[in-house]
Amino acid sequence: MAYLLLVENAKQLVLVCNKGELYKSGEAQKDVAIIEDGALVVDLEGKIAAVGTTQEIKQQFANATFRKVIDAKNQCILPGFVDSHTHPVWSGDRCHEFAKKLAGATYMDIHKAGGGIGFTVRHCKEASEEELAELLKARLDRMLRLGTTLVEAKSGYGLELDTEVKLLKVLHEVNKTHPIDLVSNYLAAHSIPQGSTAEAATHDIVHNQIPELKKLIEADVISPTLIDVFCEKNFFSIDQTREILLAGKAIGLESNFHGDELTPIKAAELAGEIGALAMTHCEEVSDEGIKAMSLRPTFAILLPVTAFLLKLKYPPARKMIEANVPVALASDFNPNAHCLSLPYVMNLACVNMGLTMEEALVAATINSAASIGKSKEYGSLEPGKFADFFVLDAPIWEHVIYELVDTPIVTVVKKGEVAWSK
């Protein structure tokens, strides 16, 4: 029988999960399944057919043929990373804002002066779909080289219907051709449009934009599966966030939203109330909010690069893990936090949030996949899942976190095909 790929002789084949777990929380978040001297087989559909020791796989597939063989001697194989919170489609350089922050300006100072999200919104309105697509593909190429194979991608730099749809169309079209798979998240409630109010923006999103989105989804013009709101003081209130998220739920969009970042607004309590799939940031989450998030559970997508750059306090990752809230990690790549590297994110999470390396790996793979509704197909190296993985030129897998800048990733494989090689 013919197969697409055989990987053999891996010093460590890091499965992450080996019992079909769709996520890990609590004590289980530090359990990482590993096969020493491992091998895996990929079928012709790009899915994992089998994993085991090299000896077991050679015996089981003695009569098989393979289109390609990778000898991973003295190397490690890890699942492709899942970046579960990004803003990757935008135009307009905001490097000048970094200088202002270094001089003491806060996020809200820049926002009130017409910078921040508003600056990017103006540039995205002017940009063509073609320009935005080329910018997006270049960013995804860089993510791929750093081991990322699945990305949650938000709109959010349009605010009004036409530009939001333009951004969602770009994500939809690029997803057809780029090796990285994209999960679109509709974020018209990212900020309040210039000259409008939060009340008017909420009404527009609920009564005008979301009904139009439903038609475009049914026509296969756009493909969001998630809905997001920036639930924050001076942006969207708890009641407005609830109204928007429930309107999205009514057309089949899961809630995956920003909350409790700059002020303790009780967004986590709302997440528990409505059974949200995930909430991101959590820097100002309360003990009651953590308890509420543990119910469904709602995934806590933590963004250590953002806290680092904005000089915020870090979210209480240890407290959340101990409360059985499944923790995921993401880059929050955007013009305000220009980071495409999940290995760097994982290192920051270990150093500044107290995660173990095992917890960080789980957070950047299976839990990140689950936080965007994709852990049945992605996030671990188990039979039946897509063969998304990378080859690490190191004797133990932990080097992917330890070598935080020049990570020794030498090959990235997407659905059984080599997507990038050093």
Side-chain angles (χ1 to χ4, degrees):
M1 190 171 177
Y3 291 88
L4 187 60
L5 176 67
L6 167 67
V7 180
E8 60 184 358
N9 303 317
K11 187 81 163 52
Q12 292 182 319
L13 176 61
V14 183
L15 309 178
V16 176
C17 302
N18 61 2
K19 299 173 185 173
E21 307 100 307
L22 294 180
Y23 66 91
K24 294 191 175 194
S25 62
E27 283 293 313
Q29 181 146 355
K30 65 177 67 168
D31 295 336
V32 173
I34 297 173
I35 298 175
E36 304 288 342
D37 187 21
L40 66 80
V41 173
V42 181
D43 67 23
L44 296 178
E45 296 181 347
K47 293 186 176 181
I48 297 169
V51 296
T53 66
T54 297
Q55 184 178 1
E56 289 168 346
I57 293 298
K58 282 187 172 180
Q59 289 174 349
Q60 185 179 346
F61 293 87
N63 298 318
T65 59
F66 303 95
R67 292 185 183 175
K68 184 174 179 63
V69 176
I70 294 177
D71 184 356
K73 186 177 181 180
N74 298 321
Q75 297 174 319
C76 297
I77 306 295
L78 287 86
F81 293 131
V82 179
D83 201 340
S84 50
H85 181 118
T86 78
H87 305 253
V89 54
W90 48 270
S91 177
D93 191 338
R94 278 165 54 189
C95 184
H96 61 282
E97 291 181 4
F98 183 55
K100 290 181 180 179
K101 288 177 202 152
L102 294 177
T106 66
Y107 180 92
M108 289 306 299
D109 291 337
I110 290 169
H111 176 77
K112 289 174 181 176
I117 294 168
F119 178 92
T120 305
V121 166
R122 292 191 294 275
H123 281 78
C124 286
K125 286 180 189 295
E126 296 167 3
S128 67
E129 287 182 27
E130 292 74 20
E131 177 189 349
L132 290 166
E134 289 306 310
L135 289 166
L136 172 60
K137 286 187 281 188
R139 292 161 188 155
L140 294 175
D141 288 346
R142 293 170 67 186
M143 288 181 171
L144 185 71
R145 295 196 294 269
L146 291 161
T148 297
T149 54
L150 175 65
V151 169
E152 179 265 13
K154 303 178 191 297
S155 56
Y157 292 121
L159 309 184
E160 44 74 28
L161 178 63
D162 288 347
T163 311
E164 283 294 311
V165 168
K166 176 167 67 173
L167 300 176
L168 290 168
K169 285 172 69 177
V170 169
L171 292 169
H172 182 74
E173 291 303 316
V174 170
N175 191 39
K176 295 177 181 178
T177 58
H178 198 277
I180 287 181
D181 291 322
L182 300 176
V183 176
S184 294
N185 192 343
Y186 165 63
L187 178 56
H190 196 190
S191 186
I192 299 162
Q194 189 173 10
S196 186
T197 64
E199 292 79 9
T202 300
H203 185 275
D204 177 54
I205 290 165
V206 171
H207 297 286
N208 299 322
Q209 294 198 37
I210 288 177
E212 187 64 24
L213 249 62
K214 184 175 186 289
K215 295 176 189 175
L216 294 172
I217 292 168
E218 290 170 351
D220 195 33
V221 174
I222 60 174
S223 48
T225 55
L226 306 171
I227 184 167
D228 196 346
V229 177
F230 190 18
C231 182
E232 183 57 66
K233 184 180 178 182
N234 299 318
F235 289 85
F236 291 90
S237 71
I238 288 289
D239 288 342
Q240 291 159 349
T241 299
R242 180 190 294 107
E243 185 179 357
I244 293 167
L245 294 178
L246 291 179
K249 184 178 182 180
I251 68 163
L253 305 181
E254 284 265 28
S255 299
N256 177 311
F257 72 107
H258 294 60
D260 290 332
E261 177 186 1
L262 304 174
T263 51
I265 197 171
K266 296 188 180 296
E269 286 86 336
L270 173 64
E273 172 197 325
I274 66 172
L277 176 61
M279 190 180 89
T280 56
H281 283 290
C282 306
E283 287 87 349
E284 297 287 348
V285 70
S286 68
D287 289 347
E288 293 78 13
I290 292 172
K291 187 175 181 181
M293 290 179 73
S294 71
L295 297 177
R296 180 183 174 177
T298 295
F299 288 81
I301 304 175
L302 307 184
L303 313 172
V305 170
T306 310
F308 170 69
L309 287 173
L310 297 183
K311 300 180 181 178
L312 305 174
K313 71 179 183 183
Y314 284 87
R318 288 253 54 88
K319 187 180 284 188
M320 300 183 99
I321 289 172
E322 289 162 7
N324 286 313
V325 174
V327 166
L329 290 172
S331 68
D332 193 19
F333 171 71
N334 71 82
N336 178 55
H338 206 292
C339 175
L340 299 154
S341 171
L342 279 173
Y344 178 60
V345 169
M346 294 160 71
N347 187 286
L348 273 184
C350 293
V351 173
N352 291 333
M353 298 196 318
L355 269 65
T356 67
M357 287 192 281
E358 291 80 6
E359 288 168 338
L361 180 63
V362 167
T365 53
I366 191 67
N367 280 7
S368 270
S371 75
I372 57 175
K374 290 292 184 178
S375 62
K376 289 182 180 179
E377 301 167 294
Y378 304 84
S380 62
L381 298 181
E382 296 177 275
K385 290 193 171 186
F386 287 121
D388 290 8
F389 61 87
F390 60 85
V391 182
L392 190 75
D393 190 17
I396 55 174
W397 72 264
E398 289 91 340
H399 277 261
V400 77
I401 300 174
Y402 170 63
E403 298 188 39
L404 75 164
V405 176
D406 188 19
T407 304
I409 294 172
V410 292
T411 302
V412 180
V413 173
K414 181 68 185 172
K415 295 178 181 173
E417 302 277 5
V418 173
W420 176 82
S421 183
K422 198 170 185 178

